[in-house]
Amino acid sequence: SPGNISDTALDTNGKKIYLLARNTGQYGETWRYNLQTNRWENISSYPSPSPRYGDIAYDSINNIILLFGGSNGVSVSYNDTWVYNISSGVWTQLFPIVSPPAGQMSESSLMEYLPQHNVFAVFREDGMWFYRYAAAPFDIISPAAPTGLSVN
């Protein structure tokens, strides 16, 4: 079973839980828990994100898990973006033209997938960032943004 847990995402289609686990090597570990068989499986692939505390969320439309940023828990902050394709079992680093800056993630940060808008929302101390997989770069909505702003 996994060791140091970073974050989890629930695959509502396949009834599985995915999680990132920190280890002491160059890469983090990816684990899947099957709710029907009650078993953990190490599904790590390489390359993959470095070990970190970070936010992941499951995209039910594209059947992927998105990871944004995080920290090694000591002195390194990340603002990289990775996608885990559940069908192929492969992590791929994405390079959005614009991303939220590193170092702003905290325990109060949160990333969620909003299926009604097909968008990931990253809630941080410096505002809200939105990302649509396989589309445009991150968009920012600052805390002072007008109400009623749509992400469609």
Side-chain angles (χ1 to χ4, degrees):
S1 65
N4 297 323
I5 296 173
S6 170
D7 199 14
T8 60
L10 175 63
D11 169 358
T12 53
N13 293 333
K15 296 184 176 33
K16 294 178 174 66
I17 298 172
Y18 290 83
L19 68 83
L20 290 180
R22 294 175 35 96
N23 62 18
T24 57
Q26 179 179 2
Y27 300 105
E29 294 179 345
T30 307
W31 288 78
R32 175 175 53 212
Y33 180 75
N34 187 316
L35 295 167
Q36 296 170 334
T37 63
N38 195 28
R39 292 191 137 153
W40 282 107
E41 179 184 7
N42 186 333
I43 56 168
S44 300
S45 66
Y46 304 98
S48 68
S50 60
R52 67 185 70 200
Y53 297 103
D55 286 323
I56 64 173
Y58 172 69
D59 172 343
S60 57
I61 292 175
N62 295 294
N63 199 34
I64 56 107
I65 293 173
L66 190 79
L67 162 70
F68 171 72
S71 166
N72 71 354
V74 182
S75 60
V76 178
S77 294
Y78 304 101
N79 74 331
D80 53 350
T81 304
W82 289 79
V83 63
Y84 181 78
N85 184 307
I86 291 175
S87 299
S88 68
V90 174
W91 278 105
T92 304
Q93 186 171 7
L94 304 177
F95 297 92
I97 297 168
V98 176
S99 290
Q104 303 273 340
M105 299 301 278
S106 70
E107 291 182 11
S108 62
S109 300
L110 174 69
M111 181 169 65
E112 292 292 328
Y113 177 69
L114 307 174
Q116 65 273 30
H117 299 290
N118 188 26
V119 69
F120 289 92
V122 179
F123 304 94
R124 300 179 0 156
E125 293 173 3
D126 64 345
M128 292 172 46
W129 294 75
F130 294 95
Y131 180 75
R132 183 168 284 125
Y133 175 66
F138 277 98
D139 292 321
I140 184 170
I141 297 178
S142 70
T147 57
L149 188 61
S150 172
V151 293
N152 277 337

